[in-house]
Amino acid sequence: MSTCAALSEAENEPLAGTAATAATWLALEQPGPWGADALASSRLDPSTGRALAEAAGGTGVRVALIRRPGRAGGTSAGPWRRAVLAHTAPGRTWVRTALLADPRELLALDFARLGGGHHDGWGEPHRGAPLLLVCANGRRDRCCAVLGRPLAAQAEAAGGAWVWESSHLGGHRFAPTLLALPHGYAYGRVTPLATKAVLAGLLDGRVVLDGCRGRSTWDRPGQAAELAVRAHTGETGADALTAATRALSGGSWEVDVRHADGRSWRVSVRQEHGRAPVPASCGATPAPQPRLRVTGLAAVPAGA
């Protein structure tokens, strides 16, 4: 039986506009197996996991569990857990990290302020290698384990990045999936060679467009529009563009994409469905999956 990832790739399902949406990411180290709902089904106290999910709801913060690649991810982290906070808004990105004796310490955070880009001095600034999260949550979808875990191990062995296996990042059928922090660009159908290119771009403050699903800072129409402007202009600067979305009727949107140099574009985006049925995840009933298509892109005259 074909996997959801293989069927999606065979259908040539587009990647743009499929990233999870989160202005801020909170990643908590939790070794060992994860269930389909990792926060509630792992060796993390389920009440703590559910409380974190509830605290993050509607704040712009997304919570993920992380573990070290390979066998190290299945062993105890000892009395301390690594926690990572990352904010992704252009020009205001940051990564903070801390070691915790008790994950419940995270419940004291002001999640609304975190979503708005305020860390309030929590933890210490991370000044090391860029952070790569690779989805490896096989209980949520087997493609993420079969394809994601080897990718994470290879990226870890290659060096140059702080690599973690992650719980669900969204989009099983695009596995292996990867999230690059601090900028929050997500990637799908990632190969080891593509991972090296993403990392090289991160180190130079650039966005690699091949395989890019979008920046988690924006809603999904904004993700698709921003990537379309990058393709149109050749702009690769990670923090060069911002996106603001207006919903129209009938599953369509207008997105204003602005450049830091003052240029701007108006992008029309519409939701459509693929022709061939594709399962959203392994075991799901195949159905035509929604996709976002850019139907118009025009420069906005200065002062308009």
Side-chain angles (χ1 to χ4, degrees):
M1 179 183 294
S2 295
T3 64
C4 66
L7 291 169
S8 175
E9 187 169 13
E11 173 61 10
N12 197 28
E13 192 176 359
L15 294 169
T18 66
T21 57
T24 302
W25 290 81
L26 170 58
L28 171 64
E29 183 178 8
Q30 177 55 61
W34 303 325
D37 180 358
L39 284 175
S41 304
S42 70
R43 292 174 184 168
L44 176 69
D45 174 57
S47 64
T48 301
R50 287 191 290 268
L52 285 170
E54 183 177 352
T59 66
V61 179
R62 184 172 175 122
V63 184
L65 297 185
I66 55 175
R67 63 191 175 203
R68 302 303 300 157
R71 292 184 179 179
T75 59
S76 172
W80 300 96
R81 311 278 188 91
R82 175 71 63 181
V84 179
L85 275 172
H87 186 64
T88 65
R92 297 166 48 218
T93 60
W94 45 258
V95 177
R96 311 277 297 189
T97 183
L99 288 172
L100 306 177
D102 186 342
R104 287 177 294 183
E105 296 175 42
L106 296 171
L107 294 172
L109 292 169
D110 187 329
F111 281 75
R113 284 186 59 79
L114 290 176
H118 306 285
H119 56 70
D120 296 328
W122 180 90
E124 299 292 334
H126 173 66
R127 297 189 175 93
L131 178 59
L132 301 180
L133 304 186
V134 180
C135 185
N137 194 350
R139 294 289 180 89
R140 186 73 179 258
D141 190 281
R142 60 177 173 154
C143 289
C144 296
V146 171
L147 301 175
R149 297 201 74 182
L151 181 72
Q154 290 163 347
E156 171 85 353
W162 199 23
V163 182
W164 296 85
E165 293 183 358
S166 170
S167 60
H168 184 51
L169 293 177
H172 318 288
R173 64 192 185 277
F174 305 124
T177 60
L178 177 153
L179 178 72
L181 295 170
H183 300 115
Y185 282 97
Y187 291 84
R189 303 182 187 130
V190 187
T191 65
L193 186 60
T195 303
K196 291 181 180 179
V198 169
L199 177 57
L202 271 175
L203 293 171
D204 291 340
R206 295 182 293 105
V207 177
V208 172
L209 291 186
D210 288 347
C212 192
R213 301 173 61 195
R215 187 169 188 151
S216 74
T217 322
W218 318 127
D219 57 21
R220 290 183 173 177
Q223 295 170 13
E226 189 225 40
L227 292 177
V229 170
R230 288 189 181 279
H232 176 71
T233 62
E235 177 59 65
T236 61
D239 285 346
L241 301 177
T242 59
T245 301
R246 292 186 302 280
L248 306 177
S249 61
S252 58
W253 301 264
E254 277 189 350
V255 184
D256 290 330
V257 179
R258 298 184 181 277
H259 196 287
D261 66 10
R263 289 179 292 162
S264 63
W265 298 263
R266 186 150 297 158
V267 184
S268 300
V269 180
R270 184 173 182 81
Q271 179 173 287
E272 300 177 345
H273 285 79
R275 297 176 182 174
V278 174
S281 60
C282 289
T285 302
Q289 297 298 327
R291 57 183 64 183
L292 295 178
R293 185 166 71 92
V294 171
T295 58
L297 190 159
V300 177

